[in-house]
Amino acid sequence: MELAYYSDYAVRLVNTEEPARNKDSLTSVDAVRELFGGSRQAARRVTDGDVTRFRSVRARLRAVFAAADTGDETQAVDLLNSLLLEFPVSPQISGHDTRDEDGRPDWHMHLADHPSNATAGYAAIAAMGLAFHLTEHGVDRLGLCEAPPCRNAYLDTSTNRSRRYCSDRCATRANVAAYRARKRLEAERSENTGRTAESAQETSANTER
């Protein structure tokens, strides 16, 4: 498993909440367990206390994305470093009993956590994954969706650093809204131009009289 994969842990956790819509799907043990995906062993460690702890880590991770989104690189790094210090991991070489085409172990880097609870394990992996993404691709690759009221977190993997939305759905919605806004502006300008022309004609007519 590539280390960059772990950055998705941060995105998944942050996006369990939509502050502008006052929505929060992180309300139960089952909801927390779903965040672990295929890591069933880690998910089994989740208890009721992890729901509150996960929300706390979520707020701190969102703060990292928010700082990056506003261009405050130092703040984003400082916030992420505080998470890395609090939730450490141990990089290890792993094969997971898989073999390549030559029958050899498929060696790769793996983040081994030694958590006191499920939150510590998840936070360690999410923070480390995000740190690898940030240092490899740049702080400006972390963002929050520009389609209001969404503000979901995303990782920009585009070749030209052009991503602005968390999904195609939000991008389409934003483009439609922008198109409608342009049409309204054009209509208002046309109406104002017409009124100006009518006013000029009336003034000219009054002068001739």
Side-chain angles (χ1 to χ4, degrees):
M1 182 181 296
E2 296 182 359
L3 294 178
Y5 165 83
Y6 291 114
S7 58
D8 288 335
Y9 275 57
V11 174
R12 288 205 301 268
L13 177 54
V14 171
N15 291 347
T16 59
E17 181 184 32
E18 298 180 68
R21 293 190 174 106
N22 197 28
K23 292 183 178 180
D24 187 349
S25 63
L26 200 60
T27 58
S28 66
V29 168
D30 287 340
V32 173
R33 286 175 176 161
E34 287 181 5
L35 291 171
F36 285 91
S39 184
R40 297 180 180 179
Q41 183 177 354
R44 282 196 292 268
R45 295 199 300 258
V46 178
T47 65
D48 289 334
D50 284 302
V51 177
T52 300
R53 289 192 288 265
F54 260 72
R55 287 178 175 177
S56 176
V57 172
R58 178 180 64 187
R60 295 170 66 181
L61 286 171
R62 176 172 282 277
V64 174
F65 279 92
D69 191 61
T70 60
D72 193 339
E73 296 190 13
T74 301
Q75 176 72 354
V77 170
D78 287 346
L79 291 170
L80 190 50
N81 273 336
S82 69
L83 284 164
L84 292 170
L85 288 171
E86 186 173 344
F87 303 107
V89 295
S90 301
Q92 296 180 351
I93 299 174
S94 174
H96 285 313
D97 298 323
T98 59
R99 303 282 171 172
D100 61 19
E101 57 185 13
D102 296 321
R104 295 174 301 186
D106 185 15
W107 300 118
H108 57 273
M109 291 301 296
H110 173 79
L111 297 183
D113 59 274
H114 308 285
S116 55
N117 54 61
T119 304
Y122 192 99
I125 291 174
M128 183 60 75
L130 200 57
F132 273 106
H133 191 92
L134 185 152
T135 54
E136 180 71 18
H137 303 290
V139 178
D140 60 339
R141 292 288 190 158
L142 279 59
L144 294 174
C145 187
E146 292 184 4
C150 180
R151 303 302 284 168
N152 271 351
Y154 65 83
L155 298 172
D156 184 3
T157 56
S158 64
T159 56
N160 57 355
R161 299 175 182 267
S162 61
R163 185 170 180 178
R164 295 294 180 269
Y165 308 103
C166 69
S167 64
D168 290 340
R169 179 181 180 182
C170 277
T172 299
R173 183 161 54 85
N175 290 334
V176 169
Y179 173 79
R180 290 175 176 172
R182 288 196 301 270
K183 287 299 182 180
R184 284 196 299 269
L185 182 59
E186 290 173 3
E188 291 172 0
R189 287 175 175 172
S190 177
E191 184 177 353
N192 290 335
T193 300
R195 289 176 178 175
T196 300
E198 291 177 359
S199 177
Q201 290 177 355
E202 292 178 358
T203 301
S204 177
N206 290 334
T207 300
E208 292 176 356
R209 292 173 186 171

